[in-house]
Structures are given as C-alpha cells and as structure tokens.
Coordinates of all heavy atoms in Angstrom, one line a residue:
F40 N 72.2 117.6 138.5 CA 72.6 118.4 137.4 C 73.9 119.0 137.8 O 74.3 119.0 138.9 CB 71.6 119.4 136.9 CG 71.2 120.4 137.9 CD1 71.9 121.6 138.1 CD2 70.1 120.2 138.7 CE1 71.5 122.6 139.0 CE2 69.7 121.1 139.7 CZ 70.4 122.3 139.8
S41 N 74.6 119.7 136.8 CA 75.9 120.4 137.1 C 75.8 121.8 136.6 O 75.0 122.1 135.7 CB 77.0 119.7 136.3 OG 77.2 118.3 136.7
I42 N 76.5 122.6 137.2 CA 76.7 124.0 136.8 C 78.2 124.3 136.8 O 78.9 124.0 137.7 CB 76.0 125.0 137.8 CG1 74.5 124.8 137.7 CG2 76.4 126.4 137.6 CD1 73.7 125.8 138.6
R43 N 78.6 125.0 135.7 CA 80.0 125.2 135.5 C 80.3 126.6 135.1 O 79.6 127.2 134.2 CB 80.6 124.2 134.5 CG 82.1 124.5 134.1 CD 82.6 123.5 133.1 NE 82.8 122.2 133.8 CZ 83.3 121.1 133.1 NH1 83.6 121.2 131.8 NH2 83.5 120.0 133.8
D44 N 81.3 127.2 135.7 CA 81.9 128.5 135.2 C 80.9 129.6 135.2 O 80.8 130.4 134.2 CB 82.6 128.3 133.9 CG 83.8 127.4 133.9 OD1 84.4 127.4 135.0 OD2 84.1 126.7 133.0
T45 N 80.1 129.7 136.2 CA 79.2 130.9 136.3 C 80.0 132.1 136.7 O 81.0 132.1 137.4 CB 78.1 130.7 137.4 OG1 78.7 130.5 138.7 CG2 77.3 129.5 137.1
K46 N 79.5 133.3 136.2 CA 80.1 134.5 136.6 C 80.0 134.8 138.1 O 80.9 135.4 138.7 CB 79.5 135.7 135.7 CG 80.2 137.0 136.0 CD 79.6 138.1 135.1 CE 80.3 139.4 135.4 NZ 79.8 140.5 134.5
G47 N 78.8 134.5 138.6 CA 78.6 134.8 140.0 C 78.4 133.4 140.8 O 79.1 132.5 140.5
D48 N 77.5 133.4 141.8 CA 77.3 132.2 142.5 C 76.8 131.1 141.7 O 76.1 131.3 140.7 CB 76.3 132.5 143.7 CG 76.8 133.6 144.6 OD1 78.0 133.7 144.8 OD2 76.0 134.4 145.0
G49 N 77.0 129.8 142.1 CA 76.4 128.7 141.4 C 74.9 128.6 141.6 O 74.1 128.8 140.7
I50 N 74.5 128.1 142.8 CA 73.1 128.0 143.2 C 72.9 128.7 144.5 O 73.5 128.3 145.5 CB 72.7 126.5 143.3 CG1 73.1 125.7 142.1 CG2 71.2 126.4 143.5 CD1 72.9 124.2 142.3
K51 N 72.0 129.6 144.5 CA 71.7 130.3 145.8 C 70.2 130.1 146.1 O 69.4 130.1 145.2 CB 72.0 131.8 145.6 CG 71.6 132.6 146.9 CD 72.0 134.1 146.8 CE 71.6 134.9 148.0 NZ 72.0 136.3 148.0
S52 N 69.9 129.9 147.4 CA 68.5 129.9 147.8 C 68.4 130.9 149.0 O 69.3 130.9 149.9 CB 68.1 128.5 148.2 OG 68.9 127.9 149.2
K53 N 67.3 131.6 149.1 CA 67.2 132.6 150.2 C 65.7 132.5 150.7 O 64.8 132.5 149.9 CB 67.4 134.0 149.7 CG 67.4 135.0 150.8 CD 67.8 136.4 150.3 CE 67.7 137.4 151.4 NZ 68.2 138.8 150.9
G54 N 65.6 132.3 152.0 CA 64.3 132.2 152.6 C 63.5 130.9 152.0 O 62.3 131.0 151.9
A55 N 64.3 129.9 151.7 CA 63.7 128.7 151.1 C 63.8 127.5 152.2 O 64.8 126.8 152.3 CB 64.5 128.3 149.9
D56 N 62.7 127.4 152.9 CA 62.7 126.3 153.9 C 62.5 125.0 153.3 O 61.9 124.8 152.3 CB 61.5 126.6 154.9 CG 61.7 127.9 155.7 OD1 62.9 128.4 155.7 OD2 60.7 128.4 156.3
R57 N 63.1 124.0 154.0 CA 63.0 122.6 153.7 C 63.6 122.3 152.3 O 63.1 121.4 151.5 CB 61.5 122.1 153.8 CG 61.0 122.1 155.2 CD 59.5 121.8 155.3 NE 58.7 122.7 154.5 CZ 58.3 123.9 154.9 NH1 58.7 124.4 156.0 NH2 57.6 124.7 154.1
I58 N 64.6 123.0 151.9 CA 65.2 122.9 150.6 C 66.2 121.6 150.7 O 66.7 121.3 151.7 CB 66.0 124.1 150.2 CG1 66.4 124.0 148.7 CG2 67.2 124.4 151.1 CD1 66.7 125.3 148.1
I59 N 66.3 121.0 149.5 CA 67.3 119.9 149.4 C 68.2 120.2 148.2 O 67.8 120.4 147.1 CB 66.5 118.6 149.1 CG1 65.6 118.2 150.3 CG2 67.5 117.4 148.8 CD1 64.7 117.0 150.0
Y60 N 69.5 120.1 148.5 CA 70.5 120.1 147.4 C 71.1 118.7 147.4 O 71.7 118.3 148.4 CB 71.7 121.1 147.8 CG 71.4 122.6 147.7 CD1 70.7 123.2 148.8 CD2 71.8 123.4 146.7 CE1 70.5 124.6 148.8 CE2 71.6 124.7 146.6 CZ 70.9 125.3 147.7 OH 70.7 126.7 147.7
R61 N 70.9 118.0 146.3 CA 71.3 116.6 146.3 C 71.9 116.2 144.9 O 71.4 116.6 143.9 CB 70.1 115.7 146.6 CG 70.4 114.2 146.5 CD 69.1 113.4 146.8 NE 68.7 113.5 148.2 CZ 67.5 113.6 148.6 NH1 66.5 113.6 147.7 NH2 67.2 113.6 149.9
D62 N 73.0 115.5 144.9 CA 73.6 114.9 143.7 C 73.9 116.0 142.7 O 73.4 116.0 141.5 CB 72.7 113.8 143.1 CG 72.5 112.7 144.0 OD1 73.5 112.3 144.8 OD2 71.4 112.1 144.0
L63 N 74.6 117.0 143.1 CA 74.9 118.2 142.2 C 76.5 118.4 142.1 O 77.2 118.0 143.0 CB 74.4 119.5 142.9 CG 72.9 119.5 143.1 CD1 72.5 120.7 144.0 CD2 72.1 119.5 141.8
I64 N 76.9 119.0 141.0 CA 78.2 119.4 140.8 C 78.2 120.9 140.5 O 77.5 121.3 139.5 CB 79.0 118.7 139.7 CG1 79.1 117.2 140.1 CG2 80.4 119.2 139.5 CD1 79.6 116.3 139.0
V65 N 78.9 121.7 141.2 CA 79.1 123.1 140.9 C 80.6 123.4 140.8 O 81.3 123.1 141.8 CB 78.5 124.1 141.9 CG1 78.7 125.5 141.5 CG2 77.0 123.8 142.0
E66 N 81.1 123.9 139.7 CA 82.6 124.0 139.6 C 83.0 125.1 138.7 O 82.3 125.5 137.8 CB 83.2 122.7 139.1 CG 82.8 122.2 137.7 CD 83.3 120.9 137.4 OE1 84.2 120.4 138.1 OE2 82.9 120.3 136.3
W67 N 84.2 125.6 139.0 CA 84.9 126.6 138.1 C 86.1 125.9 137.6 O 87.0 125.4 138.4 CB 85.2 127.9 138.8 CG 84.0 128.7 139.1 CD1 83.5 129.7 138.4 CD2 83.1 128.6 140.2 NE1 82.4 130.2 138.9 CE2 82.1 129.6 140.1 CE3 83.0 127.7 141.3 CZ2 81.0 129.7 141.0 CZ3 81.9 127.9 142.2 CH2 81.0 128.9 142.0
S68 N 86.3 125.8 136.3 CA 87.4 125.1 135.7 C 88.6 126.0 135.7 O 88.6 127.2 135.9 CB 87.0 124.6 134.3 OG 86.7 125.8 133.5
G69 N 89.8 125.3 135.5 CA 91.0 126.0 135.5 C 91.6 126.2 136.9 O 91.2 125.6 137.8
E70 N 92.7 127.0 136.9 CA 93.4 127.3 138.2 C 92.5 128.1 139.1 O 91.6 128.9 138.6 CB 94.7 127.9 138.0 CG 95.7 127.1 137.2 CD 96.1 125.8 137.9 OE1 96.4 125.9 139.2 OE2 96.1 124.7 137.3

C-alpha cells in the first residue's frame, strides 16, 4: 500500500518485534 502527504510520520512501529515493511510507498508530494 501507499501513504501520501501525512502531516506527521508515515508509518511508525515501536516495540514491534519481527516486523516486516514490504512493497510500500511513503511520500510527500511537491518540492
């Protein structure tokens, strides 16, 4: 999946063992 133009962080994990981030797009458009 994709996440675009969030006000804060895109995807955050904390204390999450054995996590997988795979085939993702996180972006802020523009300059």
Side-chain angles (χ1 to χ4, degrees):
F40 62 90
S41 300
I42 289 182
R43 174 178 287 179
D44 294 329
T45 61
K46 182 177 181 180
D48 303 322
I50 310 171
K51 179 178 181 179
S52 56
K53 184 175 182 180
D56 296 343
R57 298 173 300 280
I58 193 164
I59 298 174
Y60 291 80
R61 177 182 288 141
D62 299 327
L63 303 168
I64 298 173
V65 180
E66 62 184 349
W67 287 266
S68 56
E70 295 297 315

